[in-house]
Amino acid sequence: MARKFFVGGNWKCNGTTEEVRKIVTTLNEAEVPSHDVVEVVVSPPFVFLTLVKSLLRSDFHVAAQNCWVRKGGAFTGEISAEMLVNLGIPWVIIGHSERRALLNESNEFVGDKVAYALSQGLKVIACIGETLEQRESGSTMAVVAAQTKAIADKVTNWDNVVLAYEPVWAIGTGKVATPAQAQEVHFELRKWLNENVGADIAASTRIIYGGSVNGANCQELAGQPDVDGFLVGGASLKPEFVDIIKSAT
Ligand code: G3H
């Protein structure tokens, strides 16, 4: 099955109302390949989700950057999957390495979150990736396989899952994975899915790369056979995000 190129913009904890409006204006005025060719999803902070959704062109969609692991209730400061659905937010990012590292989100917790978000009808960008120490000790595949297994243990239908491989050492560092490094891990991840989840799911699930992607390095990364798109942080706040979207062709 052909995998449509996917470009996500993770705005993280950035932006004022004015800045958000400016980014959206840039995106709305951009000439990019059609929705048949590339799926574009931007992820503003929670407080700007409805504003961005209301202003953003209709061929682009929005994602939340997180949601609670189960039904809402007495969980101060959390946002439930049901609330996102209620607001018409179609996507959510789950398991970003910043949350895994800073907020101690375990593989199992991330797996539970992915499953719950899917059960409520959200589409999920599920993030995995190794630290520099893990890469240097040769455990990259063991780490990302364990992270993926924790998701696979809880999820049966992968139709609404995009897997984002984001090596922690490449995030926000300007030290992008080489195309060969990205392709190697994406290939191994697809092989893991094939052997542990199913051939159809391995063939159809989009595996996107994140970590210092920019307008200059996106083309070569996009040319790798198992790189199905990007999750972009810093560059998604800049006009060059449009160039990254264009790397789909
Ligand atoms: O979610 C996006 C990643 O954390 C990548 O961030 O492009 O700023 O390295 P970055």
Side-chain angles (χ1 to χ4, degrees):
M1 184 196 291
R3 299 184 296 268
K4 190 194 289 189
F5 205 79
F6 184 100
V7 178
N10 178 7
W11 297 357
K12 305 192 179 184
C13 188
N14 289 297
T16 61
T17 305
E18 293 69 32
E19 287 164 349
V20 161
R21 283 181 181 277
K22 202 170 158 197
I23 297 169
V24 173
T25 300
T26 301
L27 295 176
N28 287 350
E29 290 172 355
E31 283 184 32
V32 296
S34 84
H35 188 256
D36 297 337
V37 174
V38 60
E39 186 166 8
V40 180
V41 174
V42 295
S43 189
F46 283 126
V47 292
F48 298 127
L49 274 169
T50 49
L51 173 68
V52 173
K53 182 176 155 56
S54 71
L55 298 175
L56 192 65
R57 56 196 290 169
S58 61
D59 54 339
F60 290 4
H61 293 105
V62 289
Q65 295 176 16
N66 178 43
C67 67
W68 180 233
V69 65
R70 59 183 76 93
K71 189 172 162 57
F75 306 107
T76 303
E78 290 293 335
I79 304 284
S80 70
E82 291 87 344
M83 290 172 188
L84 298 177
V85 170
N86 180 249
L87 292 177
I89 308 300
W91 286 91
V92 63
I93 298 172
I94 290 180
H96 192 281
S97 68
E98 286 149 14
R99 298 194 62 85
R100 289 178 186 263
L102 302 172
L103 298 159
N104 295 319
E105 293 197 0
S106 68
N107 289 353
E108 293 66 33
F109 189 64
V110 169
D112 284 338
K113 277 189 169 189
V114 172
Y116 190 75
L118 291 171
S119 78
Q120 297 308 299
L122 290 170
K123 300 179 190 185
V124 174
I125 303 165
C127 303
I128 58 171
E130 83 286 2
T131 63
L132 184 59
E133 194 182 17
Q134 289 163 336
R135 172 161 283 262
E136 288 178 341
S137 68
S139 53
T140 295
M141 261 326 290
V143 169
V144 296
Q147 291 169 331
T148 309
K149 182 177 185 303
I151 295 166
D153 284 347
K154 305 280 167 57
V155 168
T156 47
N157 187 341
W158 284 67
D159 289 353
N160 290 330
V161 179
V162 168
L163 202 55
Y165 168 58
E166 302 202 298
V168 177
W169 48 270
I171 295 177
T173 60
K175 196 177 167 192
V176 65
T178 65
Q181 283 173 324
Q183 169 58 23
E184 181 185 23
V185 178
H186 286 225
F187 174 84
E188 291 295 335
L189 278 168
R190 204 174 302 287
K191 192 167 136 202
W192 189 93
L193 289 173
N194 186 48
E195 289 166 359
N196 296 279
V197 182
D200 289 351
I201 287 167
S204 61
T205 300
R206 288 171 293 180
I207 305 175
I208 63 175
Y209 168 81
S212 296
V213 175
N214 60 34
N217 61 32
C218 58
Q219 285 288 354
E220 209 184 339
L221 285 160
Q224 303 304 306
D226 288 295
V227 174
D228 303 317
F230 301 116
L231 185 56
V232 184
S236 70
L237 299 164
K238 303 174 187 168
E240 72 184 285
F241 187 61
V242 173
D243 299 324
I244 299 172
I245 297 170
K246 287 179 180 167
S247 73
T249 50

